[in-house]
Amino acid sequence: MFPAAFDYRAPSTLDEALGLLAQHGDEAKVMAGGQSLIPLLKLRFAAPGLVVDIGRLPGLKGVTADAAGLRIGALTRHVDIERGQQIRALSPILADTAPLIADPLVRNQGTVGGSLSHADPSGDWGSVMLALNAQLVARSTRGERVIEAADFFQGPFTTSLEPDEVLTEIRIPAAERCSGTYLKLERKVGDFATVAVAVQVEMRNGSIGRAGIGLTSVGDRNLKATAAEEALRGQPPSDQVIADAARLAAEASQPKDDVRGSAAYKKDMVRVFVQRGLKAAIKRVQEANA
């Protein structure tokens, strides 16, 4: 199919882009890498009057680290994370996730910010940002606001971004003695996840100081397994503690029967992946600090 007719603008500055969004409101759609929006346009699931292409805007790409943590520009492409020289040392969970996103064609063009803004419940980065307790920075002509990842995803393909806002940056708070991983079950390489789990663990004095767990493809949005996270806080990394947390994470999932598997199967895969992910993340911390 061909998309419905629309106007196209490629602003050269962020202020120009924000001005267009303020002017056109709900009639405008933002395009970054185009890997989410273009299929929607071709299928006519979206029919905006104006497409605002921000893909070439300066200053919105790259990963930087400082005392506060990591900053990821919204226009950073998946492949930039995948091939980043220092990414694995800075954040193993990011390095584990990027190669599992779709296929090389999508990773070469798609952006982290575009994927998050698309808010597909099967999207990988959403669960990772929930596990990392990331903050998402939105800009409009009215100014800047910071949104907690837990408040960002409102439902399927729905976020807390206003129509005149653009996601410009993702902030990941600094933490010591931490690591994580992303585990994904898919029918074939490049497929959407049947189930996927993001796990991040911070160790303190031999115990689990904080844990973050995000779940993919088992709800109407990326889910944060808060009960499982709380069950791990301050506990020793024993097999029983990990097993109990994995069970709570499975209980937090809300999968449905479909061609990828039954709801019961998916719940059990959440349990298995959380248990496996926690053990892998804890082992990484221990090895890095041996």
Side-chain angles (χ1 to χ4, degrees), residues 192-273:
F192 289 109
T194 299
V195 172
V197 166
V199 172
Q200 180 77 359
V201 174
E202 180 181 352
M203 301 296 292
R204 297 175 187 168
N205 300 318
S207 295
I208 301 170
R210 189 195 74 80
I213 301 173
L215 310 178
T216 306
S217 291
V218 289
D220 67 348
R221 69 195 79 179
N222 296 99
L223 301 176
K224 188 172 178 64
T226 53
E229 293 174 350
E230 288 301 316
L232 289 163
R233 189 183 299 273
Q235 297 298 313
S238 67
D239 289 345
Q240 187 60 54
V241 166
I242 290 171
D244 289 344
R247 177 181 51 79
L248 289 171
E251 291 175 358
S253 67
Q254 303 163 11
K256 295 182 179 179
D257 297 337
D258 61 21
V259 295
R260 291 180 170 86
S262 68
Y265 168 68
K266 293 176 185 178
K267 273 184 174 287
D268 199 49
M269 286 309 304
V270 169
R271 180 189 63 80
V272 170
F273 273 3

Side-chain angles (χ1 to χ4, degrees), residues 21 30 138-140 142 145 160-167:
L21 295 178
V30 174
R139 285 278 304 278
S140 70
R142 294 172 283 109
R145 69 186 180 112
S160 56
L161 286 174
E162 297 294 338
D164 63 341
E165 288 183 317
V166 170
L167 179 63

Side-chain angles (χ1 to χ4, degrees), residues 85-114:
Q85 294 289 328
Q86 302 299 321
I87 296 298
R88 182 158 295 280
L90 293 171
S91 182
I93 191 174
L94 298 181
D96 284 354
T97 305
L100 299 178
I101 294 173
D103 55 46
L105 294 175
V106 171
R107 295 199 296 275
N108 286 341
Q109 292 295 323
T111 65
V112 177

